[in-house]
Amino acid sequence: QVPLVESGGGLVQPGGSLRLDCAASGHIFSKNSIDTLGWYRQTPGKERELVADITRGGSRAYASFAEGRFTISVNDAMNKVFLQMSSLVPEDTAVYYCHAQSIWAVDYWGQGTQVTVSS
C-alpha cells in the first residue's frame, strides 16, 4: 500500500500556475492519526527541501521561496493536502513529494510528482 498518492504535476510555462493534490491512504492512516501534512521538493544532486507544511492545529510553514507564491491547504478530515503554486519560475522545476507525519511521529512519503516549468 502506498501511504500517500500525489497528483497534479506536469509541464507549465513560466508565470503559470499548478495545483498539486495528495491523498493519504485510509488503509494506513486511521482517523485523526495525521499530525502534519506537507510538500517537499528535490532536484538532482540536491537534498530534499521543505516547500510548505501544515499541522493539525492549522499552523503553516513556508520556505522563503514559496512565500507569497504557494499556498498549502488541507481538507477537514486532514487526509488530503493541496499545494497551489503560482508565478512559477524554472527554478521551481523539481520532483515534489507529499509528506505526512503521524501523531506518533512516524514519517511517510509519497512517490513524487514531477513539476517542470519551461517555455
Side-chain angles (χ1 to χ4, degrees):
Q1 287 284 343
V2 179
L4 301 164
V5 179
E6 303 106 333
S7 61
L11 174 65
V12 62
Q13 292 188 341
S17 299
L18 205 61
R19 192 181 92 164
L20 304 182
D21 294 358
C22 173
S25 170
H27 295 286
I28 293 176
F29 298 100
S30 58
K31 186 178 179 181
N32 298 325
S33 67
I34 297 175
D35 180 75
T36 303
L37 284 167
W39 291 93
Y40 286 70
R41 71 184 190 184
Q42 188 170 23
T43 55
K46 292 189 176 181
E47 291 189 358
R48 195 171 295 186
E49 61 181 353
L50 174 71
V51 178
D53 66 18
I54 182 169
T55 67
R56 176 166 291 279
S59 296
R60 291 172 170 83
Y62 290 94
S64 58
F65 61 79
E67 285 275 11
R69 298 190 302 131
F70 297 179
T71 301
I72 191 168
S73 60
V74 294
N75 64 341
D76 289 343
M78 190 78 178
N79 59 10
K80 293 183 180 179
V81 61
F82 313 99
L83 185 69
Q84 180 67 48
M85 303 185 292
S86 61
S87 301
L88 287 162
V89 297
E91 291 73 24
D92 293 318
T93 296
V95 178
Y96 284 70
Y97 294 91
C98 182
H99 170 259
Q101 186 174 82
S102 73
I103 57 176
W104 303 283
V106 178
D107 292 309
Y108 298 84
W109 295 93
Q111 294 180 316
T113 184
Q114 177 71 47
V115 171
T116 302
V117 184
S118 175
S119 55

